[in-house]
Amino acid sequence: MAPLTVIKPQPEAVEFRTARDGSLTAWVRLQNTWEGQVAYKIKTTSPKDFTIKPASGSIRMGEFHDVQIVRKTAEEGGSPESSKKVKFLVQAAAVTTQAQKLLLYAADKGKAAGRTKFWDSIPKEELQEQQLPVKLEERDEFHDAVEESQEQSVDATVSELWKARKARAQELKAAKSGEALEEGPPGGAAGAGGAGGAGAGRGYAEPAFEDAKPVRELREDELAQVAAEKAPLRQKGPAPGKLTGQDMDDIVSRMTKHGPDGKPVVQVTRPAPAPSEGEVAAIGLSEGPAPEAERKPLQLASRAQQQNQKHDIVLQGHSRPITFIAFDVSGKVLFTCGKDKLVIAWSVPEGECLRKYEGHRGAVWACSLNYDEGLLLTCGADNFVLLWQAETAQLMFEVELPGVVRCVEWSLGLCLRFACCCNGFKAKPAAVGVFDISLEAMNSRCVTSIEAPRLPSAATQVAWVGPYREWLCSVHDGGLVVFWNALSGSELYRLTAHEEAVSKIAVPADGRLLASCGRQDMEVRLWCLAKPGSEDGSDSDDMGGGGPAPELMRSFTCDRPLNCVAVRPSLTFSEAALEEADGGSCMMLAGGGQDARDVALVGAGTDVDQFEPIPLRFHRVSPDAASGLEPCPAEGAWDSKLRKGGHFGPLHALAFSPDAKLCASGSEDGNVRLRELH
């Protein structure tokens, strides 16, 4: 093995210092002297007697780690004689490949297997090591004795000074009594005798007074010095700078406004119409206090009103905005993606965090669950699509693409196939691809790749649509939704769904329907891609059928910019096409709101619920009007008076539970809210 050059230990020895309680502690600083990331680990010949924190880790270029080594006590199983024969060894290796960085990243996140695989991958000739000698610094008994003697001497000095002060007080008292005798009644004999007596008294007291004056100054200095040394130990009052109870009472009394009766009152400011001249004359305004009838007590909600208030279940696990949410088929697990590089699985409706999927090095834009196989796909800004075991959050393998991967979605076929879209990077253009996965070989194969110039622009979302989910659609700038043959990659239809950009699309279980929303036109639209029984909606190209023929079925214009849309999973074509459909339950959700920059520039909107989902239901078709959508009435789950709390930023993701009894919303504020609909 090579000598240690990528890391410099400081000091180059384990110097133990013995504390008064007998414990041994040493600190070693490991400085990275290499031009990249370095991994290290510290070993000892007596792991049962010593604790090393941290025993291993990785250090970035130019940084250092402080390692603490502590000898275990006898209660912890340590041996008192272990420090005399123990040895310590520092091993380090340079991190040179991306795979090694991923293993260390997994180790830092608590995956012990990542650290083991990393050190197994390092050849012995690349492993560097250095043995650290052990130095034991015995505690000086003289300093211990000095500390104890100082404490005893301080107590003795204080006692002597207080005795001297008491004696001095007695001397001063005797001196004052002597002066009082000297100023007694005049008389010859009495004066002579008084003078002699006073002289004798003053001759005794005055020399003591003159001799005690310098002694008094010396004792006060010593007393002040001792008091300063003992103040931190004997201070029983409040610490300097802290408020006492009396201080708080004074502050409260100054801030409290008292009425004419001397009792504190609370003033509530409320707008009131100005009285007319007749009312002024009739009432007779005075400068006295307002009558008790004019004082309105604080209105508190009754217990019945508090019980009727609806509280959303708030999931707080992300530190940055939410980008995508999706329920599993059972509706008991909710998956959320965020810009904080995390994917989190939550229990529904309890709202407990089940597990976290940590592996992306950038924002996670979308995820998709294959319920039959228990596999989860995630994609993000790090150009990777990751495949996970959904139940264990174990990373299986990854697929690297040229640019940022904005969306990924499993196919509903028998084979493990997924579609994704990615941005372009340098010479590599943006693309929409279809991949097959082999679990036996643990790899993937690109089946179809659609690139520029066939793509009008980089796609922001892909989805499987059609009666058999045989078509692939992609969302682009300019309000375009393009439909493709997933096998050949040929274009089937190009739909201008909105005036400008399409924010999001959503597809129910019936693949003949597609919902879309636009940010600029603030409109929600429901499309029919193929009618049942028609040649267009029967089969895909390889089955002898035609392509999609989108038709607008229903639409609604909202009062805010829209970022996301969700459609009831059980919605069918027959229900959407029913001409007499009116009212009923919520069929679609739309959400958005002003961006933070728009609020700063033009001011917030007047709608206090602009960051709340907009529930939409079908509107009855009249002879002179087309079918459409309308907002659900403000009652039940959508009553703002009974609902408690809400989002604090624009919505980016919406989803129905499979049974449509719950809806979930994800926002810029990093929170996810679950709301009961029934």
Side-chain angles (χ1 to χ4, degrees):
M1 297 183 182
L4 188 63
T5 58
V6 295
I7 285 181
K8 181 180 179 181
Q10 298 175 350
E12 295 186 353
V14 181
E15 299 178 355
F16 285 104
R17 295 188 178 182
T18 307
R20 294 186 60 183
D21 57 358
S23 61
L24 285 179
T25 303
W27 288 91
V28 178
R29 171 167 293 185
L30 302 179
Q31 179 73 39
N32 185 356
T33 58
W34 195 58
E35 58 185 7
Q37 187 177 0
V38 175
Y40 71 89
K41 58 181 178 179
I42 299 181
K43 298 181 178 181
T44 177
T45 55
S46 301
K48 296 182 179 180
D49 299 326
F50 290 87
T51 302
I52 304 175
K53 298 179 181 180
S56 61
S58 59
I59 312 175
R60 297 180 180 179
M61 180 179 61
E63 297 182 358
F64 62 86
H65 279 189
D66 288 331
V67 181
Q68 183 186 26
I69 304 175
V70 182
R71 186 182 66 179
K72 297 180 181 179
T73 61
E75 293 78 7
E76 297 173 346
S79 175
E81 303 296 331
S82 58
S83 58
K84 298 182 179 180
K85 53 184 178 180
V86 68
K87 296 180 181 179
F88 294 92
L89 181 67
V90 179
Q91 293 183 331
V95 182
T96 56
T97 64
Q98 185 67 21
Q100 292 177 348
K101 292 182 180 179
L102 292 177
L103 292 175
L104 290 177
Y105 179 81
D108 293 340
K109 296 300 180 180
K111 304 294 180 63
R115 184 178 294 104
T116 303
K117 292 182 179 180
F118 170 82
W119 290 109
D120 292 342
S121 64
I122 302 298
K124 290 186 177 181
E125 57 272 12
E126 297 181 3
L127 186 63
Q128 301 180 8
E129 64 179 24
Q130 177 179 337
Q131 184 174 347
L132 301 181
V134 178
K135 295 182 180 180
L136 181 60
E137 180 181 344
E138 298 292 344
R139 183 171 178 84
D140 194 352
E141 297 181 357
F142 173 76
H143 288 86
D144 294 342
V146 169
E147 292 179 1
E148 296 179 359
S149 62
Q150 285 179 348
E151 295 178 358
Q152 296 176 0
S153 62
V154 167
D155 295 336
T157 304
V158 172
S159 178
E160 293 177 358
L161 289 175
W162 279 105
K163 291 179 180 179
R165 184 176 181 181
K166 186 176 180 180
R168 176 59 187 156
Q170 293 177 355
E171 292 176 0
L172 291 175
K173 186 176 180 180
K176 289 182 180 179
S177 62
E179 292 177 358
L181 292 174
E182 183 180 8
E183 296 175 356
R202 292 180 64 180
Y204 171 78
E206 199 165 347
F209 180 80
E210 296 294 334
D211 295 340
K213 188 172 183 179
V215 177
R216 176 188 176 189
E217 294 178 355
L218 180 60
R219 290 174 179 174
E220 285 182 351
D221 295 340
E222 294 178 354
L223 182 61
Q225 181 179 0
V226 173
E229 295 176 356
K230 297 294 291 184
L233 301 176
R234 298 190 175 185
Q235 184 178 10
K236 297 183 179 179
K242 293 187 178 180
L243 295 177
T244 62
Q246 183 64 34
D247 296 335
M248 293 299 297
D249 293 340
D250 294 341
I251 293 173
V252 172
S253 62
R254 293 177 184 177
M255 296 179 63
T256 304
K257 189 171 184 179
H258 297 272
D261 54 357
K263 297 181 180 180
V265 297
V266 178
Q267 293 184 346
V268 180
T269 304
R270 55 183 181 276
S276 62
E277 296 180 359
E279 293 176 345
V280 172
I283 297 175
L285 297 179
S286 63
E287 297 181 358
E292 294 296 333
E294 294 295 332
R295 296 184 181 180
K296 295 184 178 180
L298 182 63
Q299 298 293 334
L300 298 177
S302 63
R303 184 177 297 273
Q305 292 176 344
Q306 292 178 358
Q307 292 177 354
N308 292 332
Q309 288 182 346
K310 303 295 183 181
H311 294 267
D312 296 342
I313 300 175
V314 184
L315 311 181
Q316 298 177 332
H318 292 276
S319 59
R320 296 201 61 197
I322 305 299
T323 57
F324 188 86
I325 55 178
F327 286 90
D328 70 342
V329 177
S330 65
K332 297 182 179 180
V333 181
L334 177 68
F335 295 90
T336 61
C337 306
K339 292 184 179 180
D340 55 357
K341 311 175 187 179
L342 290 179
V343 180
I344 305 178
W346 308 85
S347 64
V348 177
E350 296 81 8
E352 297 180 358
C353 178
L354 299 178
R355 50 196 165 270
K356 295 183 179 181
Y357 303 83
E358 300 175 331
H360 282 283
R361 278 87 68 188
V364 184
W365 287 111
C367 67
S368 181
L369 178 67
N370 187 316
Y371 188 75
D372 296 332
E373 299 291 338
L375 300 176
L376 180 69
L377 282 173
T378 61
C379 65
D382 55 357
N383 306 354
F384 280 94
V385 175
L386 303 184
L387 179 65
W388 308 81
Q389 282 284 355
E391 290 294 332
T392 61
Q394 180 181 359
L395 180 62
M396 301 180 67
F397 69 90
E398 56 190 24
V399 180
E400 186 174 5
L401 296 176
V404 175
V405 188
R406 295 300 303 271
C407 185
V408 64
E409 184 171 323
W410 282 109
S411 171
L412 298 183
L414 297 178
C415 59
L416 292 177
R417 177 174 296 177
F418 70 90
C420 63
C421 59
C422 67
N423 297 342
F425 183 73
K426 294 184 178 181
K428 298 181 180 179
V432 172
V434 179
F435 293 82
D436 283 346
I437 292 179
S438 174
L439 296 180
E440 291 78 10
M442 295 298 289
N443 58 13
S444 62
R445 179 176 62 91
C446 182
V447 177
T448 305
S449 179
I450 307 171
E451 302 176 352
R454 288 188 293 169
L455 284 181
S457 62
T460 59
Q461 188 180 358
V462 293
W464 296 93
V465 297
Y468 305 101
R469 300 296 179 103
E470 67 274 17
W471 303 324
L472 184 65
C473 73
S474 57
V475 179
H476 303 270
D477 295 336
L480 292 178
V481 178
V482 185
F483 298 87
W484 310 88
N485 185 311
L487 297 180
S488 62
S490 60
E491 182 177 334
L492 301 178
Y493 193 90
R494 183 171 293 198
L495 170 66
T496 303
H498 292 271
E499 295 179 0
E500 297 186 29
V502 179
S503 299
K504 195 84 70 175
I505 61 173
V507 183
D510 189 347
R512 295 181 176 89
L513 301 177
L514 182 141
S516 64
C517 67
R519 180 165 181 81
Q520 282 72 21
D521 57 13
M522 298 184 291
E523 193 170 350
V524 180
R525 296 180 178 178
L526 182 64
W527 303 87
C528 170
L529 303 182
K531 297 180 179 180
S534 66
E535 294 183 358
D536 292 339
S538 300
D539 302 307
S540 59
D541 287 351
D542 58 343
M543 297 180 182
E551 295 181 5
L552 180 62
M553 299 182 68
R554 299 176 183 271
S555 64
F556 177 76
T557 302
C558 302
D559 59 349
R560 70 202 66 172
L562 299 179
N563 298 329
C564 51
V565 65
V567 61
R568 192 185 187 97
S570 59
L571 180 62
T572 60
F573 173 82
S574 58
E575 293 176 343
L578 188 62
E579 295 183 356
E580 298 298 328
D582 181 45
S585 57
C586 177
M587 292 295 177
M588 299 176 64
L589 291 173
Q594 287 181 296
D595 286 338
R597 57 184 179 183
D598 297 334
V599 174
L601 292 175
V602 302
T606 58
D607 186 4
V608 296
D609 293 334
Q610 67 165 327
F611 299 144
E612 292 298 311
I614 304 174
L616 301 174
R617 65 180 184 179
F618 291 154
H619 181 61
R620 175 176 294 178
V621 178
S622 59
D624 56 347
S627 59
L629 299 166
E630 66 176 3
C632 295
E635 59 185 16
W638 308 111
D639 190 352
S640 59
K641 296 181 180 179
L642 298 179
R643 190 177 65 250
K644 195 74 172 177
H647 286 290
F648 297 96
L651 298 182
H652 296 311
L654 289 169
F656 279 98
S657 62
D659 56 3
K661 293 183 179 180
L662 293 172
C663 75
S665 57
S667 170
E668 181 77 17
D669 58 11
N671 295 334
V672 177
R673 288 182 170 267
L674 289 175
R675 180 173 301 176
E676 293 185 4
L677 303 182
H678 300 288

